[in-house]
Amino acid sequence: MALVNEHLLKLPDNYLFADLAKRINSYKITHPKAEIINLGIGDVTRPIPQVCIDAMHKAIDDQTNPLTFHGYSPGQGYNFLIDAIIKNDYASRGINLERSEIFINDGAKTDSGNFGEILRHDNSIGVTDPIYPAYIDSNVSCGRAGTLDDGYKWSNVIYMPCTPENNFIPPIPQQRVDIVYLCFPNNPTGTALSKSELRKWVNYALENDTIILFDAAYEAYIQQPDIPHSIYEIKGAKKVAVEFRSFSKTAGFTGIRCGYTVVPKEVTASTLNGKRISLNRLWLQRQCTKFNGASYISQRGAEAIYTPEGKQQVKYIIDYYMENAYIMKKGLSDTGLEVYGGENAPYLWIKAPNQLSSWKFFDKLLYEAQIVCTPGIGFGPSGNEFIRLTSFGDKEKCKEGINRIKRII
Amino acid sequence: MALVNEHLLKLPDNYLFADLAKRINSYKITHPKAEIINLGIGDVTRPIPQVCIDAMHKAIDDQTNPLTFHGYSPGQGYNFLIDAIIKNDYASRGINLERSEIFINDGAKTDSGNFGEILRHDNSIGVTDPIYPAYIDSNVSCGRAGTLDDGYKWSNVIYMPCTPENNFIPPIPQQRVDIVYLCFPNNPTGTALSKSELRKWVNYALENDTIILFDAAYEAYIQQPDIPHSIYEIKGAKKVAVEFRSFSKTAGFTGIRCGYTVVPKEVTASTLNGKRISLNRLWLQRQCTKFNGASYISQRGAEAIYTPEGKQQVKYIIDYYMENAYIMKKGLSDTGLEVYGGENAPYLWIKAPNQLSSWKFFDKLLYEAQIVCTPGIGFGPSGNEFIRLTSFGDKEKCKEGINRIKRII
């Protein structure tokens, strides 16, 4: 008989977001007239830049004529987009990349989830705590994460707690770790790493033969000059780091689907016999087998982001969200709440008052202020006294939401 | 140190298509004036239906306004598309499916490649020979295929030869097999399975607790009434089969990226302890972890295929390609070549004359007629005396190509 991959059965049935939706629904049923404001929303809400709209209309028209028709994309993506990425996101920061080091995809979640496939199932992994849950879940399915011991911690995962006490800077582990996930600016804490802090991680990886999987999906939100936008701004990173980028939060592409992964040719891992293998080669093989390229329409849309008008329009969107973040952070701080993040990221990480757990604070906000947030425990054990708010909503709703919270704190 | 997944290193470096491109290039360099006609092209060339173009323009305009903006798609896809699929592709054939049994994706290759993740790494697999290579390659990467023994056969794969002698009907294996890949209408042979032949497979699967992964990407090309479009036309199939569908070859969506997978809730596989687990549940868990939904634009485009105008426009495209197939098959048969397929599929499978190997016949066609084909050996050991032609090209080029072949046979 066919057998299932039992590792997948270890994933708890109740996902955070399913649980959350259930609680909101039961509130709605008992309070049908309540006007709920969702400040926990993980998706963008602003229209995408007009240059992208125009470029995608044009790309669709290309599909009406055999002479301009575009079928399967080249596996790693079209050079028009790859060249724009290299020039604008990397060369402008002094980073040299070859075309074949960029892999265009349908979104960062896909690649950051699938990337583990090219690495052995028994590598050790290290994650910041709190963390975007998909990183761990994708390791559960191949057995790499071990077992879920107490409902929140996986036996083979090394957690690096990020707390107010360490300014949300993940502590370098005492032991060596094979693969480390870093996401900065961070989801959910909204905090960022300075160049000197990130350098410590690159040096650790160089010394310990560690692969860093670096998620830079929120780099467009960085406001301060000393925060690196790419891990390759750090010397030596091209030997140890893979970088995931996304247009989802940069240009509102969550419904368009386009992102990219950088796999420098110098990044290697080892066979059991000690032979070094380029991860670029392995990732290309994996993608050739299981991926058929990103949409031509989406790639043309993404290309437009890099035009002068595109950059201006993206900045306008980012500024909108960051103004929301400023308003939210100021308003909540005024109540005496401890509020972190929100300065280089669209996320605010808020300590629950009076030792409330994250679910208790969630309930309080929902029942007393009709505000939806995301309970921190969903992002890991260190999140149990926190909630996450995002600045992705409508400005007026953000303002009203914060005023409601002010009234109950 | 981080270790690589060494299974991936078993994949031969020289892919068929890379090898093919190399030979074509070296011909072009030595014969710069030659006008090559590619009859091996695996991609569509006709514009996509106007209804899809219109729908996608509208979908893009939706993204310009916060009130109509669409961010992340629901994980399994939008109900507008799922409902159109259920109504048109299934209910119309007497097949009842629930919304939650349909998973919209960015293309059938992605899902057919990834689906193996939810099954144990040591299940046995059976494949038709010849076969679309990605099915096997995706099993190599998790170790399920074993080792490549003689350059063409994997040690843990059960090959079911499809030859002229058995009318390209895969023989039911003597032993039991855990997972069987079937693609009908078939790529590369262009042949189809009648209802009674497919019924034998479903019955085999029911008796042997086998999972059938059924690729129906070419169902739109079926012309004869006794050929099933879906495996669920066979009684009992909902207990044993997963079906992969694609809009790529139906409506020219290779550059748009949209397809879907049907995972009926009744399909189960077992844990080591004998507990039955629904694959629908496992696949949902896998997708939640590693996929963020298909493009809203592409889903709106796909929805339009199911309108009355859409159906008519799709039929026009299919008729165009099938007329090419008819012209090609007739022309080649007239030369005395053995030509198979091309009646319910866009593929022709042609026996190389005079016991030539597929690469030798490839070279002959390229050097003597400036025609590009795909050597059958790339699809498995049984393909070594065959080549594949496709009807995806321009009609005039198809005609000229066949005339050129006629002159050299």
Side-chain angles (χ1 to χ4, degrees), chain A residues 104-166:
Chain A
I104 309 295
N105 60 33
D106 75 324
K109 187 178 178 184
T110 315
D111 275 16
S112 62
N114 290 330
F115 203 83
E117 271 182 48
I118 70 169
L119 297 163
R120 239 179 100 93
H121 64 94
D122 53 1
N123 283 293
S124 58
I125 61 168
V127 299
T128 61
D129 167 27
I131 188 180
Y132 175 52
Y135 297 148
I136 295 181
D137 293 354
S138 64
N139 281 290
V140 171
S141 55
C142 68
R144 199 179 283 133
T147 52
L148 189 57
D149 286 342
D150 57 358
Y152 292 107
K153 279 201 173 188
W154 293 88
S155 59
N156 291 351
V157 174
I158 293 142
Y159 291 84
M160 306 172 298
C162 295
T163 62
E165 289 69 37
N166 62 21

Side-chain angles (χ1 to χ4, degrees), chain B residues 216-398:
Chain B
Y218 304 99
E219 64 79 29
Y221 291 84
I222 292 171
Q223 309 290 316
Q224 292 167 2
D226 64 326
I227 311 278
H229 288 246
S230 164
I231 194 166
Y232 306 119
E233 293 180 45
I234 313 294
K235 202 181 156 193
K238 276 173 75 176
K239 287 195 174 68
V240 292
V242 170
E243 182 162 288
F244 302 98
R245 292 279 192 109
S246 167
F247 301 110
S248 288
K249 304 297 164 72
T250 307
F253 269 39
T254 53
I256 306 294
R257 312 308 310 141
C258 200
Y260 66 90
T261 300
V262 183
V263 190
K265 292 195 175 160
E266 296 168 56
V267 184
T268 61
S270 182
T271 65
L272 279 178
N273 290 335
K275 192 178 166 196
R276 305 299 302 191
I277 307 288
S278 163
L279 296 194
N280 182 285
R281 173 193 151 193
L282 284 190
W283 183 241
L284 177 61
Q285 243 163 348
R286 191 274 172 204
Q287 291 296 80
C288 287
T289 304
K290 296 191 182 179
F291 184 58
N292 235 337
S295 154
Y296 171 67
I297 318 293
S298 307
Q299 292 188 65
R300 280 293 185 198
E303 179 194 20
I305 294 169
Y306 294 103
T307 59
E309 304 78 16
K311 288 176 188 174
Q312 211 169 359
Q313 291 170 17
V314 164
K315 188 174 179 307
Y316 178 84
I317 298 175
I318 302 285
D319 286 350
Y320 180 95
Y321 292 136
M322 288 311 289
E323 195 184 325
N324 285 356
Y326 176 83
I327 292 165
M328 293 166 76
K329 183 159 189 171
K330 183 163 187 322
L332 294 172
S333 300
D334 287 349
T335 65
L337 283 170
E338 282 179 47
V339 186
Y340 302 97
E343 286 169 12
N344 295 290
Y347 298 114
L348 300 171
W349 189 239
I350 297 149
K351 183 120 200 270
N354 309 317
Q355 279 86 46
L356 287 179
S357 74
S358 62
W359 272 121
K360 290 271 185 219
F361 193 37
F362 171 91
D363 284 339
K364 180 180 168 71
L365 289 176
L366 180 59
Y367 278 79
E368 296 178 21
Q370 295 75 54
I371 295 293
V372 170
C373 68
T374 312
I377 189 67
F379 301 99
S382 286
N384 198 28
E385 293 179 347
F386 292 83
I387 59 157
R388 186 192 74 173
L389 297 186
T390 82
S391 64
F392 289 134
D394 174 80
K395 193 169 306 303
E396 293 312 311
K397 291 234 166 116
C398 279

